[in-house]
Coordinates of all heavy atoms in Angstrom, one line a residue:
P15 N 44.8 -21.1 39.2 CA 43.5 -20.6 38.8 C 42.9 -21.2 37.6 O 41.7 -21.4 37.4 CB 43.7 -19.1 38.7 CG 45.2 -18.9 38.6 CD 45.8 -20.1 39.2
K51 N 34.4 -25.2 44.3 CA 34.3 -23.9 45.1 C 34.9 -24.0 46.5 O 35.6 -23.2 47.0 CB 32.9 -23.4 45.2 CG 32.5 -22.6 44.0 CD 31.2 -21.9 44.2 CE 30.8 -21.2 42.9 NZ 29.3 -21.2 42.7
W71 N 33.8 -38.8 40.5 CA 32.6 -39.6 40.6 C 33.0 -41.0 41.1 O 33.5 -41.8 40.3 CB 31.8 -39.7 39.3 CG 30.5 -40.3 39.4 CD1 29.3 -39.6 39.7 CD2 30.1 -41.6 39.1 NE1 28.2 -40.5 39.7 CE2 28.7 -41.7 39.3 CE3 30.8 -42.7 38.7 CZ2 28.0 -42.9 39.1 CZ3 30.1 -43.9 38.4 CH2 28.7 -44.0 38.6
K79 N 38.7 -37.5 51.4 CA 39.9 -36.8 51.1 C 41.0 -37.8 50.6 O 41.7 -37.5 49.6 CB 40.4 -36.0 52.3 CG 41.6 -35.1 52.0 CD 41.8 -34.2 53.2 CE 43.0 -33.3 52.9 NZ 43.2 -32.3 53.8
H83 N 41.5 -37.5 44.0 CA 42.7 -37.4 43.2 C 43.2 -36.0 43.3 O 42.4 -35.1 43.7 CB 42.4 -37.7 41.7 CG 41.8 -39.0 41.4 ND1 42.0 -39.6 40.2 CD2 41.0 -39.8 42.1 CE1 41.3 -40.8 40.2 NE2 40.7 -40.9 41.3
E108 N 48.8 -55.7 44.9 CA 49.5 -56.7 45.7 C 51.0 -56.7 45.3 O 51.9 -56.7 46.1 CB 48.9 -58.1 45.4 CG 47.9 -58.5 46.3 CD 47.1 -59.7 45.8 OE1 47.8 -60.6 45.2 OE2 45.9 -59.8 46.0
L110 N 52.7 -54.3 43.9 CA 53.4 -53.1 44.3 C 53.7 -53.2 45.8 O 54.8 -52.8 46.3 CB 52.6 -51.9 44.0 CG 52.5 -51.5 42.5 CD1 51.4 -50.6 42.2 CD2 53.8 -50.9 42.1
A157 N 49.7 -37.4 34.0 CA 50.7 -37.5 35.0 C 51.6 -36.3 34.9 O 51.9 -35.7 33.8 CB 51.5 -38.8 34.8
G161 N 60.0 -31.3 38.8 CA 61.2 -31.0 38.0 C 61.0 -31.2 36.5 O 61.9 -31.0 35.7
R181 N 51.7 -20.4 23.6 CA 52.7 -20.6 24.7 C 52.1 -21.3 25.9 O 52.5 -21.1 27.1 CB 53.3 -19.2 25.2 CG 54.4 -18.8 24.2 CD 54.8 -17.4 24.5 NE 53.7 -16.5 24.2 CZ 53.6 -15.2 24.6 NH1 54.6 -14.7 25.3 NH2 52.6 -14.4 24.3
N183 N 49.5 -25.1 26.7 CA 48.6 -26.1 26.2 C 47.8 -26.7 27.4 O 48.3 -26.7 28.6 CB 49.4 -27.2 25.6 CG 50.0 -26.8 24.2 OD1 49.2 -26.3 23.4 ND2 51.3 -26.8 24.0
L202 N 42.2 -36.9 21.3 CA 43.0 -38.1 21.4 C 42.2 -39.4 21.1 O 41.0 -39.4 21.4 CB 43.7 -38.2 22.7 CG 44.7 -37.1 23.0 CD1 45.3 -37.3 24.4 CD2 45.9 -37.1 22.0
T261 N 19.0 -28.3 14.2 CA 19.2 -29.7 13.8 C 18.6 -29.9 12.4 O 19.2 -30.5 11.5 CB 18.7 -30.7 14.8 OG1 19.3 -30.4 16.1 CG2 18.9 -32.1 14.5
K302 N 11.3 -46.5 17.7 CA 10.6 -47.7 17.3 C 9.2 -47.4 16.7 O 8.8 -47.8 15.6 CB 10.5 -48.7 18.4 CG 9.7 -49.9 18.2 CD 9.6 -50.8 19.5 CE 8.6 -51.9 19.4 NZ 9.0 -53.0 18.5
E320 N 22.2 -54.1 28.5 CA 21.6 -55.5 28.6 C 22.0 -56.2 27.3 O 22.0 -57.5 27.3 CB 20.1 -55.4 28.7 CG 19.7 -55.1 30.1 CD 20.0 -56.2 31.1 OE1 19.6 -57.4 30.8 OE2 20.7 -55.9 32.1
N331 N 22.2 -56.7 10.4 CA 21.1 -55.7 10.5 C 21.6 -54.3 10.4 O 22.8 -54.0 10.4 CB 20.5 -55.8 11.9 CG 19.6 -57.0 12.0 OD1 19.5 -57.8 11.1 ND2 18.9 -57.2 13.2
L352 N 28.1 -55.5 17.9 CA 27.3 -55.4 16.7 C 28.2 -55.6 15.5 O 27.9 -56.3 14.5 CB 26.6 -54.0 16.6 CG 25.4 -53.8 17.5 CD1 25.1 -52.3 17.5 CD2 24.2 -54.5 16.9
G383 N 24.1 -28.3 20.8 CA 25.1 -27.5 21.5 C 25.4 -28.1 22.8 O 24.9 -29.2 23.1
L398 N 15.2 -37.1 19.0 CA 13.9 -37.4 18.3 C 13.9 -36.8 16.9 O 13.5 -37.5 15.9 CB 12.8 -36.9 19.1 CG 12.6 -37.4 20.5 CD1 11.3 -36.9 21.2 CD2 12.5 -38.9 20.6
P407 N 12.7 -40.4 4.8 CA 13.0 -40.7 3.4 C 12.4 -42.1 3.1 O 12.3 -42.4 1.9 CB 14.5 -40.8 3.4 CG 15.0 -39.9 4.5 CD 14.0 -40.1 5.6
D451 N 5.5 -38.3 47.5 CA 6.8 -39.1 47.5 C 6.8 -40.1 46.4 O 7.9 -40.7 46.1 CB 6.9 -39.9 48.9 CG 7.1 -38.9 50.0 OD1 7.7 -37.9 49.8 OD2 6.5 -39.2 51.1
V453 N 5.1 -41.0 42.4 CA 4.3 -40.6 41.3 C 4.4 -41.6 40.2 O 5.5 -42.1 39.9 CB 4.8 -39.2 40.7 CG1 3.9 -38.7 39.6 CG2 4.9 -38.2 41.8
G459 N 1.2 -46.0 23.4 CA 1.7 -45.9 22.1 C 3.0 -45.1 22.1 O 3.9 -45.2 23.0
T507 N -2.6 -36.7 25.0 CA -2.8 -35.9 23.8 C -3.4 -36.9 22.7 O -3.2 -38.1 22.8 CB -1.5 -35.3 23.3 OG1 -0.5 -36.3 23.3 CG2 -1.0 -34.2 24.2
V529 N -5.0 -36.9 39.6 CA -4.5 -37.1 38.2 C -4.2 -35.8 37.5 O -5.1 -34.9 37.5 CB -5.6 -37.9 37.3 CG1 -5.1 -38.0 35.9 CG2 -5.8 -39.3 37.9

Side-chain angles (χ1 to χ4, degrees):
K51 273 191 185 141
W71 187 83
K79 184 167 178 171
H83 301 209
E108 269 168 37
L110 288 162
R181 281 171 295 167
N183 289 307
L202 293 180
T261 302
K302 173 182 168 73
E320 282 294 307
N331 285 4
L352 284 167
L398 298 185
D451 294 327
V453 182
T507 48
V529 176

